[in-house]
Amino acid sequence: MPKFSLAALTVLELAPPELVEVAAACGYDHVGIRLLAAVPGGLAYPLMDDQAALKETLARLDASGITVADLEVVAFRPETEVATFAAFFETGARLGAKNILVAGYDPDLDRFTDRFAKFCEAAAPHGLTADLEFMPWTSVPDLRTANRIVAQVGQPNAGVLVDALHFDRSKSLLGELVRIPADRLHYWQLCDGPAKRPATSEEMMHAARFERMFPGEGGIDLVSLARTMPVDIPISIEAPTVTLAKTLNAEARARRALEAAKKVLAAAWP
């Protein structure tokens, strides 16, 4: 039976306590919490700097039975220093989180690989994995590059994060995915999008951050992707739909996303 997580980006207007409440009401098993902004000035909920909000989030997790699957977003840029994440790790451990989403925005991949290895080492004592997400517009543009870096760092808690949209848009291959050791895949992200790929990186970024589709409602071959992924890792439903959010509240969107995901997985794993 798949375990589903409500990704922060799907309902980013919700602070973590409300995110937990909505996840519980809709029947999710986990949530992902965005502690750090994906881009400078972006929306995030830094619980490490807000003890009252952290306490409230912990109380709602305890009351609901929802657990925290992943923390977002550690975006490595040339100036990023691993030492700055001490409070982030400690807060993640208090939340009982399992995974950290890492993105690479450092064009010097040797430097990034070295820092990613140190990040993995720093995260490990807190029970956290570090999962490298490939995105076509970043310095880690595809599955092959992400897997090479994770293999190179050689840390047991290092993982590759597969997002269905980025997998398709990066033209990564199922044949590459099937060769990745299962212990490098800690969770994955599910959504959909039009079969036609965006023409530019700007269009790709906009769609990824604001206008995805619920699973099964677009043109990506999600069934084949699901059949290639391990069946025993959490599935994070990450489907921001900003236009739809103008007429449909967070709970309704989260519920619709989960129902759609279950249909896809039922087709993949009958």
Side-chain angles (χ1 to χ4, degrees), residues 92-247:
R94 287 190 64 186
L95 289 165
K98 303 299 182 186
N99 315 116
I100 301 170
L101 188 158
V102 178
Y105 290 90
D106 187 344
D108 185 337
L109 283 185
D110 289 336
R111 176 174 58 200
F112 169 69
T113 301
D114 179 65
R115 288 179 177 170
F116 181 55
K118 291 181 170 62
F119 183 86
C120 292
E121 291 175 354
H126 300 277
L128 291 159
T129 69
D131 298 274
L132 181 56
E133 182 174 21
F134 57 94
M135 293 172 269
W137 58 87
T138 69
S139 302
V140 185
D142 51 33
L143 175 64
R144 184 176 300 178
T145 305
N147 190 45
R148 185 181 72 243
I149 291 171
V150 169
Q152 188 174 338
V153 301
Q155 296 293 325
N157 64 331
V160 175
L161 177 55
V162 175
D163 178 304
L165 186 71
H166 304 323
F167 183 87
D168 179 81
R169 283 8 184 183
S170 67
K171 302 181 182 180
S172 295
L173 302 174
L174 293 173
E176 298 169 342
L177 179 57
V178 77
R179 292 193 294 270
I180 294 180
D183 61 3
R184 289 184 194 162
L185 299 169
H186 302 129
Y187 73 109
W188 61 289
Q189 294 178 323
L190 182 60
C191 69
D192 213 333
K196 184 178 180 181
R197 296 183 176 101
T200 67
S201 292
E202 289 72 22
E203 291 173 350
M204 208 176 293
M205 283 188 282
H206 177 80
R209 292 170 179 167
F210 302 109
E211 296 293 354
R212 302 194 190 195
M213 301 174 76
F214 296 131
E217 297 183 6
I220 297 174
D221 185 2
L222 299 177
V223 170
S224 294
L225 178 60
R227 286 175 176 163
T228 310
M229 297 299 297
V231 300
D232 58 347
I233 61 175
I235 301 166
S236 173
I237 304 177
E238 185 175 66
T241 48
V242 169
T243 299
L244 183 62
K246 295 175 182 177
T247 57

Side-chain angles (χ1 to χ4, degrees), residues 15-78:
E18 290 71 37
L19 173 67
V20 173
E21 291 291 316
V22 164
C26 294
Y28 287 84
D29 304 284
H30 316 292
V31 293
I33 296 180
R34 180 162 290 196
L35 297 181
L36 299 170
V39 296
L43 181 59
Y45 300 93
L47 296 180
M48 51 277 189
D49 302 325
D50 188 341
Q51 290 302 304
L54 175 59
K55 184 178 179 180
E56 180 63 21
T57 302
L58 290 168
R60 298 204 193 185
L61 288 168
D62 185 59
S64 66
I66 295 290
T67 59
V68 178
D70 65 283
L71 308 175
E72 303 180 344
V73 178
V74 174
F76 269 85
R77 296 181 170 83

Side-chain angles (χ1 to χ4, degrees), residues 244-261:
L244 183 62
K246 295 175 182 177
T247 57
L248 206 61
N249 68 25
E251 183 173 335
R253 295 185 342 262
R255 192 179 302 277
R256 181 170 153 186
L258 180 58
E259 291 170 353

